[in-house]
Amino acid sequence: MLEQPSFGRRLRQLRTERGLSQAVVAGDGMSTGYLSRLESGARQPTERAVAHLAGQLGISAAEFEESRATSLAQILSLATSLESDETSELLAEALESSHGQEPMLRWQALWLLGQWKRRHGDQEAERAYLDQLVVLSEEIGLAELRSRALTQFARCLRVSGEITPAVDAAATAYRLARDNSLSTQDVAATLLVLVSVEAEAGRMPDARRHADELTALVEGRSDTLWAESLWTAGALKVREGEFDAAESLFQRALDGFDSRENLTIWLRLRVAMAELQLQRFPPDLDAAQRCIEAAEAALPFARTPALEQSLTALRARLAFHEGRPADARALLDRLGRTDLRLPYQTRIRLEVLGNQLRILGGEEDEGLAGLQQLALQAQENANIDLAAEIWRLAAECLMEARGKKQGVAAG
């Protein structure tokens, strides 16, 4: 007797191993909706359905009855060679039942799943996998694995706004890489995160020193690591108010980096360039518009929820600066109806924008209270750079709103 949900898991495993879509396996004799319900365990298979599926998969019906579990090593091979939501789900399921198996295989599975969740902006799920990865790395004891796990953990903490623990994790990863003479790739990866978190924590001398070390380390390269290093050094210049120097670094990365090597990094560089133009005094709206349009043109080839949302957020801020508050509100409302996959700083800037719109719309006290709360929250998270930016924007917005009031009164 074929029972659910084991039948559904086995069916999906057999289909995915062959690289077949649900539509292909369903064929003319079954709807894809019914096949999907079988795979999820929501429907019990009939003899006719089993016979049809066995024929489509080229197996005997008896293979559905086999209870042998696919090994973690098999699923890892599948996930590495064929990235998809389905293979990631299979890997997650295999990992859950992998206790007692080879720790190195479990480490690789956790690493892949963490990366997968990061690319999709699922910060909560990524954090859960990285928590396990850090613990497992300590148990294994290899410096390379400990440093890599802590680097990704620090990156995840930074994205969620937990700056103090992010600094600690990144600093530990860096020391492990340096003390154990790890590869240039490993050392540079730790520095990428360390520079960012030190800057956000207000530790600018340390951030500058490590940024110089990072750029010297990747000199002569033109790969993804090189582009990310210039991007990180440029972001530091933005925080220091050196916008021309930052733009030069970003442009150098865009000019020297082949987008075919990593389109996602190229797109994020465009987003960073647009962010820079909006933070200038005054903002360079035409340059920001060009960067946004260039990124949107390439988005269909590297579409992720996080990138789409980042560009919508930029569009909202651009509309605000162009004096189109209604359009800015509409874009914020659109984002508010989605499951946000944005980094902490971007989410906070969206809330800042919402409060700026409230102030300009006549809700001065409510908007100022909201900005004050956001600034205090950033300070509590040791995000000194962001807190200072919020206080500055609050003052600018208040002056603009009161200037408009005085203009109306004078008229």
Side-chain angles (χ1 to χ4, degrees):
M1 178 68 177
L2 296 170
E3 297 289 346
Q4 291 285 27
S6 58
F7 172 79
R9 287 196 297 266
R10 178 66 172 152
L11 171 59
R12 183 174 61 169
Q13 173 197 326
L14 291 166
R15 176 177 63 78
T16 308
E17 285 177 349
R18 288 158 175 75
L20 301 176
S21 68
Q22 288 185 335
V24 169
V25 173
D28 296 330
M30 179 181 292
S31 72
T32 55
Y34 179 63
L35 175 57
S36 179
R37 290 191 290 275
L38 285 175
E39 288 192 354
S40 69
R43 291 290 298 269
Q44 187 67 25
T46 63
E47 289 184 9
R48 181 179 177 183
V50 170
H52 173 74
L53 292 169
Q56 292 292 96
L57 292 168
I59 61 173
S60 67
E63 289 197 50
F64 288 119
E65 299 175 352
E66 293 180 359
S67 61
R68 58 182 174 85
T70 303
S71 71
L72 183 57
Q74 287 175 288
I75 296 296
L76 272 171
S77 298
L78 181 63
T80 304
S81 61
L82 179 64
E83 285 193 353
S84 71
D85 288 332
E86 287 184 324
T87 53
S88 292
E89 289 168 10
L90 284 172
L91 182 56
E93 291 173 4
L95 183 64
E96 286 182 6
S97 59
S98 69
H99 297 288
Q101 291 195 32
E102 170 60 44
M104 295 293 283
L105 290 177
R106 296 188 62 240
W107 192 96
Q108 188 180 355
L110 288 166
W111 176 269
L112 288 174
L113 287 166
Q115 285 188 319
W116 184 258
K117 295 301 181 182
R118 176 190 168 198
R119 284 196 293 272
H120 284 70
D122 191 344
Q123 295 163 19
E124 185 177 350
E126 181 194 7
R127 172 70 177 273
Y129 285 125
L130 291 178
D131 281 335
Q132 297 179 61
L133 189 69
V134 169
V135 172
L136 184 58
S137 299
E138 292 293 329
E139 293 174 0
I140 295 172
L142 287 176
E144 290 91 340
L145 300 189
R146 292 174 63 200
S147 178
R148 292 170 193 175
L150 284 167
T151 297
Q152 293 306 311
F153 186 55
R155 188 192 296 271
C156 182
L157 290 171
R158 172 183 172 261
V159 169
S160 64
E162 300 174 69
I163 301 303
T164 299
V167 171
D168 292 340
T172 302
Y174 172 69
R175 285 195 298 272
L176 281 165
R178 276 295 184 200
D179 293 348
N180 292 276
S181 301
L182 300 188
S183 68
T184 297
Q185 186 84 21
D186 281 314
V187 177
T190 66
L191 284 168
L192 283 171
V193 182
L194 185 57
V195 171
S196 297
V197 295
E198 285 175 336
E200 290 183 24
R203 296 168 55 172
M204 300 306 289
D206 290 335
R208 281 192 291 270
R209 175 167 53 84
H210 287 129
D212 290 342
E213 181 182 351
L214 174 62
T215 52
L217 197 62
V218 300
E219 187 64 36
R221 303 172 69 129
S222 60
D223 56 3
T224 299
L225 182 62
W226 172 80
E228 285 190 285
S229 298
L230 292 186
W231 172 12
T232 299
L236 179 60
K237 294 295 184 184
V238 171
R239 292 190 174 93
E240 294 178 306
E242 298 181 31
F243 297 108
D244 289 341
E247 183 173 0
S248 177
L249 286 164
F250 288 158
Q251 194 61 55
R252 184 179 161 201
L254 285 166
D255 291 342
F257 180 63
D258 190 341
S259 63
R260 290 172 297 182
E261 182 169 333
N262 190 321
L263 183 56
T264 299
I265 293 297
W266 187 89
L267 280 166
R268 287 176 174 165
L269 274 166
R270 288 288 181 189
V271 169
M273 184 73 93
E275 286 271 4
L276 179 155
Q277 305 300 350
L278 291 178
Q279 290 184 58
R280 284 184 178 276
F281 308 108
D284 189 335
L285 303 184
D286 289 339
Q289 174 78 24
R290 289 194 296 271
C291 290
I292 292 170
E293 288 176 351
E296 287 177 337
L299 187 62
F301 304 102
R303 187 177 299 275
T304 68
L307 273 172
E308 288 185 88
Q309 291 172 7
S310 292
L311 288 169
T312 302
L314 284 171
R315 282 286 187 194
R317 291 171 59 195
L318 182 63
F320 173 80
H321 285 296
E322 290 178 336
R324 298 184 286 114
D327 290 340
R329 288 191 188 93
L331 289 164
L332 284 181
D333 288 343
R334 184 197 304 176
L335 283 170
R337 293 191 295 270
T338 62
D339 177 18
L340 286 181
R341 301 294 180 89
L342 296 170
Y344 168 77
Q345 285 215 5
T346 305
R347 295 199 308 271
I348 293 299
R349 286 196 174 97
L350 286 177
E351 293 188 49
V352 167
L353 177 57
N355 282 295
Q356 288 177 295
L357 289 168
R358 295 177 76 181
I359 292 172
L360 295 179
E363 300 178 58
E364 190 173 291
D365 292 340
E366 295 85 348
L368 284 173
L371 290 173
Q372 181 181 33
Q373 183 179 357
L374 291 171
L376 292 174
Q377 177 186 328
Q379 286 178 213
E380 290 171 1
N381 288 333
N383 206 318
I384 307 302
D385 177 70
L386 182 60
E389 181 183 343
I390 295 171
W391 288 123
R392 176 180 62 79
L393 291 172
E396 289 177 358
C397 194
L398 184 58
M399 289 176 63
E400 183 180 349
R402 291 184 177 176
K404 287 182 178 179
K405 285 182 180 179
Q406 291 173 358
V408 171

